[in-house]
Amino acid sequence: MIIKRPFLDILLLAVYCSFTILLFLTTGQSLAQDSVNDPKISQEAVEESFIELLEKTRDASFKQKKDLIKRLTQLEDEQVPKVLKAMLQGSLFYTKDENKRIVFATSSDQGYSITDVRSNQAIGEVGKREIKKFRVNNSIRTLLRNSLAQLNLNTEDSTLRMKAVKELSRDLTDETGELLRAQLNLETDSEVKSLLQMALAMVDIRSEDKATRLTAVRTLADNLSPPVRGRLGALLDKNADGAFKESDLEVREAALQALKNIGFKLKLFQFTETLFFGLSLGSVLALAAIGLAVTFGVMGVINMAHGELIMIGAYTTYVIQLLLPNHIDLSLFVAIPAAFIISGLFGIAIERSIIRFLYGRPLETLLATFGVSLILQQLVRTVFSPLNRSVATPSWMSGSLEINSALSLTLNRLYIIVFAFMVFLVLLAILKKTRLGLEVRAVSQNRAIAKTMGIRTEWVDAMTFGLGSGIAGVAGVALSQLTNVGPNLGQSYIIDSFMVVVFGGVGNLWGTLIAGMSLGIANKFLEPFAGAVLAKILVLVFIIIFIQKRPRGLFPQKGRAVEN
């Protein structure tokens, strides 16, 4: 058999090409495997890809940046979260020179302190005109938050995973739903798992399958967050033609029942929140009035300077923080005894220099203490200026205690409620368990008999006035955490303090506490209907009517002198 030459050439060429292709595939697979096994080669390839994507993102349009950020998120590089977070916070820049080096930047005295993104090494300081920020818009910020949340889903910290799920739940799409569904099978933490189920229910509520929608509605029936209420409410909306957007009656009824259940819980939590604010206001009123109850009850002195003693305590807190600028968290623990001592000394000085000459002359006492209040206000204006001063809140009093999405309790008010009860219990122990307390009670019940028994009533008067003034200073420390400190701070609480004392019963500590809490709660429940000013007027009218029926208050003090 004779084979023609052209046919032989074609056959040899085919064999050669097949061998070349086979050799190329084998070598390529080996090189790929080597690059995976060699961490140096793998890291260089990742770094090159990471920097290359960043450089493209730097010069891309907003529309192109979205795709590039998604590609960045898929890279397994520890720098990716840092870069995305810096871009979101506006601290990712690039230099304006020919290199256009990408850097992290933080503000400094001379402009910006920059750090190289590639090497993570500090470069130095540059002027504001030498670098330019990565430009982002609102849609890119949303994408960055979602991308960071996706990265945090794989962390070991359950708190970060919970934050990631909450972030992704703000903008739920089918793509996000698939991501959360995959995470649900891997999640081990019960709280995060519950949050994932809620988020997936919000995705499933738009499913075409009736059973899936019904299950999602029942899952969301106990959730109080606004997005959930919005999704459930959308099922009951109607189209332009008057037909319900949700065609199935059973699903609509389940959604309606879920909304009713949520509405009832919201009202319950709203009541709880109003009660909490009422208790916090009542605590402030009780703190402000409890010192006045002691002096008014024992000595019968109408002290119009009591509000200024509260102001002195607040300014003491301000000064302590000026002296301890690096220890704000500990400043209150120094300010409380300091305010008690300083306000107490002011009180003793007022009693010894003015009030002791005016016993039995209530009108002159009222006018004299009113004059003292004006002097103290002017003294503060001279020393600190008429401007209000802000007192920093310690970190352990900042923020709020979040019970759920519908109820959160601010920590500063919560601590003040606890603090008011602690002050009350300490004062009660002083009056019940100490010699000073025994003498104070004796003088308040019958001054003449107490004097004949050898009690130095003048000394008791001075110590009692100092004790009441010191407690007013402590109240000023608490008030400094709720409002600005100014010369007129005390004037806002003097009338309320007298109302609390008269309503509770002159000289009765339990009456002062109960009266303060009652008036605070009543005020807060009236404010939504009547407004802040009218609510105070209504409370005042109620007290006037009440005093007409019970002139000695809720808990009148006992004693022959009092009865006479």
Side-chain angles (χ1 to χ4, degrees):
M1 181 178 178
I2 300 174
I3 300 177
K4 295 183 178 180
R5 184 73 184 179
F7 179 77
L8 182 61
D9 291 341
I10 293 171
L11 182 62
L12 290 172
L13 181 63
V15 172
Y16 175 76
C17 291
S18 301
F19 177 75
T20 302
I21 292 171
L22 181 63
L23 180 63
F24 175 76
L25 292 174
T26 306
T27 306
Q29 184 176 7
S30 176
L31 287 173
Q33 184 65 34
D34 289 342
S35 67
V36 172
N37 294 333
D38 188 353
K40 182 179 295 185
I41 296 175
S42 177
Q43 179 63 29
E44 289 177 357
V46 169
E47 183 177 322
E48 182 181 2
S49 175
F50 169 67
I51 295 297
E52 182 182 353
L53 283 175
L54 264 185
E55 290 174 346
K56 289 181 179 179
T57 306
R58 176 191 62 201
D59 303 321
S61 64
F62 286 137
K63 186 175 181 181
Q64 294 170 335
K65 279 181 180 178
K66 290 184 178 180
D67 179 61
L68 292 168
I69 289 171
K70 290 179 181 178
R71 289 165 61 185
L72 268 173
T73 307
Q74 295 172 359
L75 294 178
E76 295 183 0
D77 190 280
E78 62 181 9
Q79 287 288 83
V80 171
K82 297 179 182 178
V83 167
L84 296 182
K85 187 175 181 180
M87 198 182 303
L88 178 63
Q89 295 176 345
S91 58
L92 187 66
F93 288 71
Y94 62 90
T95 59
K96 289 186 178 180
D97 56 17
E98 58 182 10
N99 295 325
K100 289 188 175 181
R101 180 187 291 184
I102 301 172
V103 295
F104 299 118
T106 55
S107 298
S108 65
D109 295 336
Q110 300 180 359
Y112 287 98
S113 177
I114 60 175
T115 303
D116 184 63
V117 169
R118 183 195 296 266
S119 62
N120 206 25
Q121 293 181 352
I123 298 174
E125 294 191 355
V126 296
K128 294 184 178 180
R129 296 185 179 181
E130 298 180 43
I131 57 176
K132 190 173 182 180
K133 186 186 296 186
F134 269 63
R135 294 173 59 231
V136 295
N137 57 15
N138 288 335
S139 60
I140 290 178
R141 290 188 186 95
T142 302
L143 176 62
L144 287 170
R145 282 192 289 267
N146 288 340
S147 300
L148 284 169
Q150 290 180 27
L151 294 172
N152 287 334
L153 279 179
N154 300 320
T155 61
E156 296 181 359
D157 189 353
S158 61
T159 305
L160 288 178
R161 295 201 304 273
M162 184 171 291
K163 289 181 179 179
V165 175
K166 288 180 179 178
E167 188 63 46
L168 291 171
S169 299
R170 294 181 182 180
D171 185 24
L172 286 170
T173 60
D174 294 336
E175 181 182 354
T176 308
E178 292 301 322
L179 181 67
L180 296 177
R181 208 177 300 277
Q183 181 65 27
L184 181 63
N185 299 326
L186 303 174
E187 188 57 55
T188 56
D189 188 90
S190 58
E191 292 185 11
V192 180
K193 201 165 188 175
S194 175
L195 198 61
L196 282 167
Q197 290 171 346
M198 287 294 176
L200 290 173
M202 292 179 67
V203 176
D204 292 341
I205 205 170
R206 297 179 297 190
S207 172
E208 296 181 358
D209 181 48
K210 171 192 169 181
T212 303
R213 295 198 307 276
L214 195 59
T215 303
V217 170
R218 289 169 179 168
T219 303
L220 297 173
D222 294 326
N223 195 290
L224 304 175
S225 63
V228 169
R229 300 201 301 271
R231 292 289 175 99
L232 292 173
L235 297 177
L236 304 177
D237 291 340
K238 293 184 178 181
N239 296 316
D241 56 358
F244 285 100
K245 290 183 179 180
E246 172 54 54
S247 57
D248 189 83
L249 177 61
E250 188 178 0
V251 176
R252 290 203 306 272
E253 289 180 348
L256 182 62
Q257 185 60 38
L259 286 172
K260 287 181 178 178
N261 182 40
I262 291 173
F264 173 77
K265 288 185 177 180
L266 286 176
K267 288 181 180 178
L268 181 62
F269 288 125
Q270 186 178 8
F271 174 85
T272 305
E273 187 177 42
T274 305
L275 181 64
F276 170 73
F277 280 110
L279 287 174
S280 67
L281 176 59
S283 300
V284 171
L285 293 176
L287 269 177
I290 199 168
L292 188 63
V294 173
T295 55
F296 193 20
V298 174
M299 302 156 54
V301 173
I302 302 175
N303 181 17
M304 295 300 294
H306 185 77
E308 279 58 48
L309 295 170
I310 295 174
M311 174 194 68
I312 290 171
Y315 270 104
T316 302
T317 310
Y318 171 70
V319 172
I320 291 295
Q321 289 194 348
L322 289 181
L323 297 175
L324 302 173
N326 299 323
H327 303 282
I328 298 298
D329 286 350
L330 300 176
S331 61
L332 285 188
F333 297 103
V334 179
I336 290 171
F340 179 84
I341 293 171
I342 293 173
S343 295
L345 291 175
F346 266 93
I348 293 174
I350 293 170
E351 196 277 336
R352 289 286 86 190
S353 60
I354 298 173
I355 294 177
R356 72 188 182 103
F357 301 108
L358 301 174
Y359 286 129
R361 298 155 65 184
L363 182 59
E364 286 86 343
T365 306
L366 187 148
L367 293 175
T369 53
F370 179 70
V372 171
S373 71
L374 296 179
I375 293 172
L376 292 177
Q377 288 181 40
Q378 190 57 46
L379 177 64
V380 166
R381 289 190 181 96
T382 303
V383 176
F384 296 101
S385 85
L387 301 177
N388 287 343
R389 302 293 181 177
S390 178
V391 176
T393 302
S395 60
W396 49 273
M397 285 185 70
S398 303
S400 59
L401 177 63
E402 187 173 348
I403 308 300
N404 52 48
S405 58
L407 177 64
S408 60
L409 309 178
T410 52
L411 288 178
N412 58 345
R413 293 183 178 273
L414 188 62
Y415 278 115
I416 285 174
I417 292 174
V418 176
F419 181 65
F421 278 98
M422 289 174 61
V423 171
F424 173 80
L425 292 176
V426 169
L427 181 59
L428 196 65
I430 291 173
L431 294 179
K432 296 290 185 181
K433 304 295 183 180
T434 64
R435 179 180 178 83
L436 173 63
L438 180 63
E439 293 179 350
V440 166
R441 285 184 286 131
V443 172
S444 65
Q445 290 178 9
N446 196 316
R447 177 179 293 271
I449 297 298
K451 194 168 186 177
T452 60
M453 295 295 294
I455 295 176
R456 296 169 56 194
T457 56
E458 292 184 357
W459 181 85
V460 172
D461 289 338
M463 291 299 102
T464 303
F465 206 90
L467 179 63
S469 301
I471 294 171
V474 171
V477 177
L479 283 174
S480 68
Q481 300 303 305
L482 297 178
T483 184
N484 290 329
V485 178
N488 298 320
L489 175 65
Q491 294 297 309
S492 305
Y493 292 93
I494 184 64
I495 302 300
D496 291 335
S497 298
F498 275 110
M499 284 198 304
V500 170
V501 171
V502 173
F503 180 53
V506 176
N508 191 299
L509 290 185
W510 282 105
T512 303
L513 179 67
I514 294 172
M517 293 297 179
S518 302
L519 294 181
I521 293 171
N523 221 315
K524 285 300 177 182
F525 274 101
L526 286 173
E527 278 183 6
F529 308 102
V533 177
L534 187 57
K536 279 197 170 186
I537 294 173
L538 291 174
V539 170
L540 180 59
V541 170
F542 164 75
I543 291 177
I544 292 172
I545 296 172
F546 179 81
I547 295 301
Q548 297 295 320
K549 300 293 183 182
R550 291 178 65 96
R552 292 165 57 194
L554 284 173
F555 302 96
Q557 196 175 14
K558 297 178 181 179
R560 292 182 180 178
V562 176
E563 291 171 359
N564 294 333

